[in-house]
């Protein structure tokens, strides 16, 4: 069996893992928590919140994503893109 050099493939894998790790943002568990609660598109919501917080789209934007989660759970999704149709049940809120 010939000895193969996988250096290029390993560099690509390392670069992709680094890129994905950075995409997790400063709140890496937020998407997992939302998804774990069976909230539709939980990871995408977390990603959008990360962009919102990083970009300071609004002057009154908080730096705490959990403040936005609280707003979501109280029925306010006005800060998200219009593409999101958020529906959080009483069971999800209680959990």
């Amino acid at each position: 069996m010939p000895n193969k050099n996988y250096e290029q493939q390993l560099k690509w894998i390392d670069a992709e893992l680094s890129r994905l790790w950075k995409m997790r943002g400063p709140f890496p568990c937020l998407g997992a928590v939302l998804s774990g609660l069976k909230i539709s598109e939980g990871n995408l919501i977390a990603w959008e919140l990360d962009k919102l917080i990083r970009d300071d789209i609004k002057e009154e934007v908080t730096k705490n994503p959990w403040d936005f989660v609280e707003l979501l759970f109280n029925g306010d999704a006005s800060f998200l893109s219009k593409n999101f149709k958020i529906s959080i049940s009483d069971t999800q809120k209680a959990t």
Side-chain angles (χ1 to χ4, degrees), residues 5-21:
N5 183 349
Y6 294 103
E7 185 176 340
Q8 183 179 359
Q9 291 86 348
L10 292 172
K11 283 183 181 181
W12 179 84
I13 290 169
D14 184 61
E16 288 301 299
L17 287 173
S18 293
R19 182 180 64 81
L20 291 170
W21 191 264

Side-chain angles (χ1 to χ4, degrees), residues 9-66:
Q9 291 86 348
L10 292 172
K11 283 183 181 181
W12 179 84
I13 290 169
D14 184 61
E16 288 301 299
L17 287 173
S18 293
R19 182 180 64 81
L20 291 170
W21 191 264
K22 287 177 189 172
M23 280 179 58
R24 292 173 29 156
F27 320 110
C29 296
L30 181 56
V33 168
L34 296 175
S35 295
L37 288 170
K38 305 293 186 217
I39 294 173
S40 179
E41 302 173 330
N43 285 306
L44 292 176
I45 292 169
W47 193 32
E48 179 122 347
L49 291 179
D50 177 53
K51 289 191 305 184
L52 179 72
I53 291 167
R54 283 182 197 239
D55 295 343
D56 283 333
I57 293 171
K58 297 179 182 177
E59 291 177 16
E60 70 275 8
V61 167
T62 178
K63 294 293 183 187
N64 184 351
W66 297 106

